[in-house]
Amino acid sequence: MSRIESKQIRIRKNDEYRALLTETLPYEVPMLFSNDGLYRAIKSGIISKLKSEHGLDIFEKKVTVPYKYKIKKNSYESRELAVMHPAQQIETSLFYSKYDHLIIGLCQRSPLTLRSPSSIASYYVERVLSSNVDHSKRSQQAEAVDGYESIPKTGTSYFAYRKFPLLFKFYDSHEFLRLEKKFKTLTRMDISDCFNRIYTHTIAWAVKSKSHAKLHKTNDTSFESKFDKLLQNANHGETAGILIGPEVSRIFAEIILQKIDLNIIEKAAKQDLHLEQDYTIRRYVDDYFIYTNNSETQERIKRIIPEALTEYKLATNNSKTTDHSRPYITSISISRHNISLAISAFLSKYVEFKKEPTGEQQKEKTVVYLNKIDNTSKSVVQTIAAIKRAIGELGSYDPNANYFLGTFKKFLSRIKGKEIKSDKGSVEMSLYFFLTAVIEILFFYYSMTMRVRQTYQISEILLLIAKIIKCLPLDLKSTLIRKIVDESRSIIYQASTDFPEYKIEVMNLLLVIQNFGIEHLYSKELLSKVFDFEISPSGAISVTDKLDYFQLMFLLSYAGDVAEFSDVIDAAIENSTKQFESRDWGEYAESVFTFFDLLSCPYVSQPAKIKIAKLALRHISNTNINSRAASLIEEVGNKGWFFGWHQKADLQLALRRKELRTPY
């Protein structure tokens, strides 16, 4: 019987580039986008050879332009994320390697923080599905990893974190209950547009002091000056605001916010307010939880926090400040409880797990018993109605989306690989009707909160379902796959029409649907909405300048080897090639990603690769351009870089890495 096993992998701490694997990319990048190829390239010396042998200095330390894109933050707001230029990612990794212990020290100063680095990670845990584990060798399952010969497949973070890596764990903690017992009122307050408003020079104020920073402006060798310069260079030289997405930005902000925490405590003490007696505060990144026992203290602390933030050019978001009295239960908590009841009522009605003897002495196995759904439509309607009632006054599907989809994923994982029986009727028909209902319920909820994290979750669920239905007859299996494809098509069309600026969400789903077979590829008309190309009445394809790097890579991955789409692919490549005509293309992160991924893409023709290489090399010299272009392509063309062309067959691994790097 298959089961989940955990394996501890020891990390080699002297690997100065390992931060590239966890610290420099946003969580919400395409599931096949990573730094694995960049990591291999720098470890093997290819990065240095690009300059010494080919004259390309695009990885030099300098001011660069990040690649920015938008995602849905929630049903009403967007968030602009940024991917650093590879040169700055490398600099970040070296910076971590040099200053990691100092970073930890600076992130241990505040007693108020709920999430901060506490030590350098020594291990990561890899969860593997194993059906034949030799438990006698369990103690030998720690492996040294240098990151090159074997890149950590599911490494999560450079640092180990205290206390709560995710905010919901604070809500579910004993500490939250203890604070409720001790304090009568709770005020929630957050910093307005925190990362976009951080002034990078304030890192020096936080590490030393404002007066010291003003007196020593010319000291470019200090930790704080280097950190300041690093984030400026990564953001086109800007001092107002830091990039949103990379973990390094959160650490930069945490150092500043911890200093502000200490200032808040000091200001309160001057008013004869003592921490943990008259009040206490907990801060999760840019969210404050203020606990007090009377309205006077509450109001005084509510004035002190904005004052302390103002000194660092930050401000609170008054519209989001809320006061609560005991019991500290939110509409989100109530909604989650009721959603749990609705899901449980549906699943327990049709599925039961029973223990049965295996035939071997004193051994049992878990068997899945299914009850046939007599009326699938009625069951689905009733369950969705219960979910809608559970949402109630909350008015949004977003806050409990992780919980909802996570519950279904865990339940289906329990079914996968187990023997299935039915007390009444056909096992195959019972499974078919049950999964039909599950698919409809899942896609309903997903359509209400189609964000990047939820796309990852439903992608994992769809791949789980694909494994479960392997036992079904071909006709039933094909019908379920068609239902998944049709539901996905409807959502992709609607999202592309209603929210054309958000692409990552639907493009990730496209990759999963592609996994069900080439016969389920969507039409050019639908893809034109996702990938911003136009189809003339005569059928001619024209690609607009809206087509960005992520769209281009998804398009190539989705249809690059399909003859029917060759005109679209050719037009997209031709359009993207133009950016290398500019002499300063290497300063732009998007152009650098595009350059290496086009040269290594199996769906880009050799003539197109030669053209791209020549355009880049001509800015250096025209001498021997043909042979130099061929040499460059040979150097970089047969290696993976940023987009995982060869990972499509193992989407589950890509999704597992995402699962273990859950965003804060």
Side-chain angles (χ1 to χ4, degrees), residues 330-345 383 385-393 400 403-404:
T330 66
S331 56
I332 294 175
S333 300
I334 296 170
S335 174
R336 177 178 296 188
H337 174 71
N338 292 332
I339 286 173
S340 174
L341 294 178
I343 296 173
S344 178
T383 303
I387 291 166
K388 290 162 73 173
R389 288 193 298 272
I391 298 296
E393 294 181 1
N400 286 314
Y403 173 78
F404 180 87

mmCIF file of all heavy atoms in Angstrom, residues 330-345 383 385-393 400 403-404:
data_model
loop_
_atom_site.group_PDB
_atom_site.id
_atom_site.type_symbol
_atom_site.label_atom_id
_atom_site.label_comp_id
_atom_site.label_asym_id
_atom_site.label_seq_id
_atom_site.Cartn_x
_atom_site.Cartn_y
_atom_site.Cartn_z
ATOM 1 N N THR A 330 -13.806 35.485 14.135
ATOM 2 C CA THR A 330 -14.083 36.311 12.976
ATOM 3 C C THR A 330 -15.104 35.648 12.065
ATOM 4 O O THR A 330 -15.397 34.454 12.183
ATOM 5 C CB THR A 330 -12.793 36.560 12.175
ATOM 6 O OG1 THR A 330 -12.345 35.309 11.618
ATOM 7 C CG2 THR A 330 -11.703 37.147 13.052
ATOM 8 N N SER A 331 -15.621 36.414 11.134
ATOM 9 C CA SER A 331 -16.545 35.868 10.144
ATOM 10 C C SER A 331 -15.859 34.814 9.287
ATOM 11 O O SER A 331 -16.505 33.883 8.799
ATOM 12 C CB SER A 331 -17.098 36.994 9.259
ATOM 13 O OG SER A 331 -16.044 37.707 8.644
ATOM 14 N N ILE A 332 -14.534 34.951 9.130
ATOM 15 C CA ILE A 332 -13.781 33.954 8.364
ATOM 16 C C ILE A 332 -13.786 32.617 9.105
ATOM 17 O O ILE A 332 -13.990 31.561 8.506
ATOM 18 C CB ILE A 332 -12.337 34.433 8.125
ATOM 19 C CG1 ILE A 332 -12.330 35.668 7.212
ATOM 20 C CG2 ILE A 332 -11.488 33.317 7.513
ATOM 21 C CD1 ILE A 332 -10.951 36.281 7.021
ATOM 22 N N SER A 333 -13.581 32.662 10.424
ATOM 23 C CA SER A 333 -13.571 31.435 11.220
ATOM 24 C C SER A 333 -14.936 30.756 11.203
ATOM 25 O O SER A 333 -15.036 29.526 11.075
ATOM 26 C CB SER A 333 -13.164 31.746 12.662
ATOM 27 O OG SER A 333 -11.882 32.318 12.713
ATOM 28 N N ILE A 334 -15.976 31.551 11.337
ATOM 29 C CA ILE A 334 -17.332 31.001 11.313
ATOM 30 C C ILE A 334 -17.619 30.372 9.954
ATOM 31 O O ILE A 334 -18.169 29.271 9.856
ATOM 32 C CB ILE A 334 -18.362 32.105 11.628
ATOM 33 C CG1 ILE A 334 -18.149 32.626 13.054
ATOM 34 C CG2 ILE A 334 -19.783 31.594 11.444
ATOM 35 C CD1 ILE A 334 -18.949 33.867 13.382
ATOM 36 N N SER A 335 -17.214 31.089 8.889
ATOM 37 C CA SER A 335 -17.429 30.578 7.537
ATOM 38 C C SER A 335 -16.678 29.270 7.320
ATOM 39 O O SER A 335 -17.214 28.321 6.733
ATOM 40 C CB SER A 335 -16.981 31.627 6.512
ATOM 41 O OG SER A 335 -17.059 31.109 5.204
ATOM 42 N N ARG A 336 -15.450 29.207 7.807
ATOM 43 C CA ARG A 336 -14.657 27.986 7.628
ATOM 44 C C ARG A 336 -15.323 26.801 8.325
ATOM 45 O O ARG A 336 -15.369 25.698 7.778
ATOM 46 C CB ARG A 336 -13.239 28.188 8.163
ATOM 47 C CG ARG A 336 -12.386 26.926 8.065
ATOM 48 C CD ARG A 336 -10.972 27.152 8.547
ATOM 49 N NE ARG A 336 -10.269 28.109 7.731
ATOM 50 C CZ ARG A 336 -8.964 28.370 7.849
ATOM 51 N NH1 ARG A 336 -8.251 27.754 8.760
ATOM 52 N NH2 ARG A 336 -8.383 29.255 7.071
ATOM 53 N N HIS A 337 -15.819 27.026 9.515
ATOM 54 C CA HIS A 337 -16.491 25.949 10.248
ATOM 55 C C HIS A 337 -17.700 25.442 9.464
ATOM 56 O O HIS A 337 -17.909 24.227 9.328
ATOM 57 C CB HIS A 337 -16.930 26.457 11.614
ATOM 58 C CG HIS A 337 -17.762 25.481 12.392
ATOM 59 N ND1 HIS A 337 -17.238 24.332 12.951
ATOM 60 C CD2 HIS A 337 -19.107 25.469 12.673
ATOM 61 C CE1 HIS A 337 -18.203 23.659 13.554
ATOM 62 N NE2 HIS A 337 -19.342 24.326 13.404
ATOM 63 N N ASN A 338 -18.495 26.364 8.936
ATOM 64 C CA ASN A 338 -19.696 25.958 8.203
ATOM 65 C C ASN A 338 -19.361 25.301 6.865
ATOM 66 O O ASN A 338 -20.055 24.381 6.432
ATOM 67 C CB ASN A 338 -20.607 27.168 7.994
ATOM 68 C CG ASN A 338 -21.206 27.668 9.290
ATOM 69 O OD1 ASN A 338 -21.392 26.885 10.228
ATOM 70 N ND2 ASN A 338 -21.495 28.961 9.382
ATOM 71 N N ILE A 339 -18.289 25.766 6.231
ATOM 72 C CA ILE A 339 -17.830 25.104 4.999
ATOM 73 C C ILE A 339 -17.402 23.682 5.308
ATOM 74 O O ILE A 339 -17.698 22.739 4.554
ATOM 75 C CB ILE A 339 -16.672 25.904 4.355
ATOM 76 C CG1 ILE A 339 -17.209 27.171 3.683
ATOM 77 C CG2 ILE A 339 -15.920 25.047 3.330
ATOM 78 C CD1 ILE A 339 -16.131 28.088 3.173
ATOM 79 N N SER A 340 -16.717 23.509 6.433
ATOM 80 C CA SER A 340 -16.293 22.176 6.847
ATOM 81 C C SER A 340 -17.482 21.243 7.012
ATOM 82 O O SER A 340 -17.445 20.079 6.585
ATOM 83 C CB SER A 340 -15.507 22.266 8.159
ATOM 84 O OG SER A 340 -15.200 20.981 8.665
ATOM 85 N N LEU A 341 -18.555 21.743 7.603
ATOM 86 C CA LEU A 341 -19.757 20.932 7.791
ATOM 87 C C LEU A 341 -20.377 20.558 6.436
ATOM 88 O O LEU A 341 -20.831 19.419 6.247
ATOM 89 C CB LEU A 341 -20.776 21.689 8.649
ATOM 90 C CG LEU A 341 -20.373 21.965 10.106
ATOM 91 C CD1 LEU A 341 -21.468 22.773 10.800
ATOM 92 C CD2 LEU A 341 -20.101 20.669 10.854
ATOM 93 N N ALA A 342 -20.391 21.518 5.505
ATOM 94 C CA ALA A 342 -20.985 21.259 4.187
ATOM 95 C C ALA A 342 -20.190 20.205 3.419
ATOM 96 O O ALA A 342 -20.766 19.294 2.796
ATOM 97 C CB ALA A 342 -21.053 22.562 3.383
ATOM 98 N N ILE A 343 -18.863 20.312 3.461
ATOM 99 C CA ILE A 343 -18.019 19.336 2.766
ATOM 100 C C ILE A 343 -18.172 17.958 3.398
ATOM 101 O O ILE A 343 -18.307 16.942 2.708
ATOM 102 C CB ILE A 343 -16.541 19.782 2.804
ATOM 103 C CG1 ILE A 343 -16.344 21.088 2.043
ATOM 104 C CG2 ILE A 343 -15.646 18.691 2.198
ATOM 105 C CD1 ILE A 343 -14.943 21.667 2.186
ATOM 106 N N SER A 344 -18.156 17.931 4.737
ATOM 107 C CA SER A 344 -18.261 16.667 5.452
ATOM 108 C C SER A 344 -19.586 15.970 5.159
ATOM 109 O O SER A 344 -19.634 14.744 4.975
ATOM 110 C CB SER A 344 -18.110 16.911 6.956
ATOM 111 O OG SER A 344 -18.241 15.715 7.676
ATOM 112 N N ALA A 345 -20.669 16.751 5.094
ATOM 113 C CA ALA A 345 -21.979 16.173 4.811
ATOM 114 C C ALA A 345 -21.995 15.513 3.435
ATOM 115 O O ALA A 345 -22.572 14.424 3.255
ATOM 116 C CB ALA A 345 -23.050 17.256 4.898
ATOM 117 N N THR A 383 -25.146 20.778 -2.270
ATOM 118 C CA THR A 383 -23.839 21.027 -1.642
ATOM 119 C C THR A 383 -23.362 22.449 -1.890
ATOM 120 O O THR A 383 -22.881 23.130 -0.976
ATOM 121 C CB THR A 383 -22.798 20.022 -2.166
ATOM 122 O OG1 THR A 383 -23.267 18.695 -1.918
ATOM 123 C CG2 THR A 383 -21.464 20.228 -1.481
ATOM 124 N N ALA A 385 -25.263 25.013 -2.518
ATOM 125 C CA ALA A 385 -26.139 25.899 -1.738
ATOM 126 C C ALA A 385 -25.670 25.969 -0.289
ATOM 127 O O ALA A 385 -25.670 27.049 0.329
ATOM 128 C CB ALA A 385 -27.582 25.405 -1.813
ATOM 129 N N ALA A 386 -25.250 24.819 0.276
ATOM 130 C CA ALA A 386 -24.737 24.804 1.644
ATOM 131 C C ALA A 386 -23.457 25.615 1.760
ATOM 132 O O ALA A 386 -23.230 26.323 2.758
ATOM 133 C CB ALA A 386 -24.501 23.364 2.089
ATOM 134 N N ILE A 387 -22.601 25.527 0.751
ATOM 135 C CA ILE A 387 -21.344 26.297 0.742
ATOM 136 C C ILE A 387 -21.638 27.795 0.666
ATOM 137 O O ILE A 387 -21.031 28.605 1.378
ATOM 138 C CB ILE A 387 -20.459 25.857 -0.431
ATOM 139 C CG1 ILE A 387 -19.950 24.428 -0.193
ATOM 140 C CG2 ILE A 387 -19.277 26.813 -0.622
ATOM 141 C CD1 ILE A 387 -19.343 23.776 -1.414
ATOM 142 N N LYS A 388 -22.606 28.169 -0.155
ATOM 143 C CA LYS A 388 -22.967 29.583 -0.280
ATOM 144 C C LYS A 388 -23.540 30.123 1.019
ATOM 145 O O LYS A 388 -23.275 31.264 1.413
ATOM 146 C CB LYS A 388 -23.959 29.759 -1.438
ATOM 147 C CG LYS A 388 -23.319 29.539 -2.810
ATOM 148 C CD LYS A 388 -24.342 29.296 -3.891
ATOM 149 C CE LYS A 388 -25.095 30.534 -4.275
ATOM 150 N NZ LYS A 388 -25.973 30.304 -5.451
ATOM 151 N N ARG A 389 -24.324 29.294 1.702
ATOM 152 C CA ARG A 389 -24.834 29.721 3.014
ATOM 153 C C ARG A 389 -23.683 29.870 4.007
ATOM 154 O O ARG A 389 -23.691 30.753 4.864
ATOM 155 C CB ARG A 389 -25.862 28.712 3.533
ATOM 156 C CG ARG A 389 -27.198 28.737 2.809
ATOM 157 C CD ARG A 389 -28.247 27.952 3.578
ATOM 158 N NE ARG A 389 -27.902 26.544 3.715
ATOM 159 C CZ ARG A 389 -28.229 25.605 2.825
ATOM 160 N NH1 ARG A 389 -28.910 25.941 1.730
ATOM 161 N NH2 ARG A 389 -27.893 24.355 3.032
ATOM 162 N N ALA A 390 -22.684 28.987 3.887
ATOM 163 C CA ALA A 390 -21.519 29.054 4.782
ATOM 164 C C ALA A 390 -20.714 30.333 4.550
ATOM 165 O O ALA A 390 -20.158 30.911 5.488
ATOM 166 C CB ALA A 390 -20.637 27.829 4.577
ATOM 167 N N ILE A 391 -20.656 30.783 3.311
ATOM 168 C CA ILE A 391 -19.955 32.035 3.009
ATOM 169 C C ILE A 391 -20.682 33.189 3.707
ATOM 170 O O ILE A 391 -20.070 34.050 4.332
ATOM 171 C CB ILE A 391 -19.902 32.289 1.487
ATOM 172 C CG1 ILE A 391 -19.117 31.181 0.775
ATOM 173 C CG2 ILE A 391 -19.302 33.663 1.190
ATOM 174 C CD1 ILE A 391 -17.674 31.085 1.140
ATOM 175 N N GLY A 392 -21.993 33.190 3.603
ATOM 176 C CA GLY A 392 -22.844 34.110 4.342
ATOM 177 C C GLY A 392 -22.421 35.553 4.274
ATOM 178 O O GLY A 392 -22.121 36.089 3.205
ATOM 179 N N GLU A 393 -22.369 36.183 5.440
ATOM 180 C CA GLU A 393 -22.061 37.615 5.520
ATOM 181 C C GLU A 393 -20.634 37.936 5.125
ATOM 182 O O GLU A 393 -20.305 39.085 4.858
ATOM 183 C CB GLU A 393 -22.318 38.112 6.942
ATOM 184 C CG GLU A 393 -23.784 38.062 7.352
ATOM 185 C CD GLU A 393 -23.993 38.587 8.754
ATOM 186 O OE1 GLU A 393 -22.986 38.999 9.386
ATOM 187 O OE2 GLU A 393 -25.142 38.592 9.221
ATOM 188 N N ASN A 400 -11.301 31.450 2.537
ATOM 189 C CA ASN A 400 -11.300 30.023 2.860
ATOM 190 C C ASN A 400 -11.037 29.131 1.652
ATOM 191 O O ASN A 400 -11.268 27.922 1.713
ATOM 192 C CB ASN A 400 -12.624 29.641 3.523
ATOM 193 C CG ASN A 400 -12.711 30.147 4.951
ATOM 194 O OD1 ASN A 400 -11.768 30.013 5.725
ATOM 195 N ND2 ASN A 400 -13.830 30.770 5.287
ATOM 196 N N TYR A 403 -8.443 26.394 2.351
ATOM 197 C CA TYR A 403 -9.020 25.339 3.183
ATOM 198 C C TYR A 403 -9.954 24.450 2.368
ATOM 199 O O TYR A 403 -9.881 23.217 2.452
ATOM 200 C CB TYR A 403 -9.780 25.957 4.357
ATOM 201 C CG TYR A 403 -10.536 24.936 5.168
ATOM 202 C CD1 TYR A 403 -9.872 24.128 6.086
ATOM 203 C CD2 TYR A 403 -11.913 24.757 4.998
ATOM 204 C CE1 TYR A 403 -10.567 23.170 6.815
ATOM 205 C CE2 TYR A 403 -12.609 23.808 5.723
ATOM 206 C CZ TYR A 403 -11.927 23.013 6.626
ATOM 207 O OH TYR A 403 -12.599 22.058 7.336
ATOM 208 N N PHE A 404 -10.816 25.061 1.579
ATOM 209 C CA PHE A 404 -11.798 24.303 0.800
ATOM 210 C C PHE A 404 -11.108 23.339 -0.165
ATOM 211 O O PHE A 404 -11.380 22.126 -0.166
ATOM 212 C CB PHE A 404 -12.688 25.282 0.019
ATOM 213 C CG PHE A 404 -13.731 24.607 -0.825
ATOM 214 C CD1 PHE A 404 -14.961 24.267 -0.286
ATOM 215 C CD2 PHE A 404 -13.484 24.323 -2.163
ATOM 216 C CE1 PHE A 404 -15.924 23.638 -1.069
ATOM 217 C CE2 PHE A 404 -14.437 23.696 -2.947
ATOM 218 C CZ PHE A 404 -15.669 23.357 -2.394
#
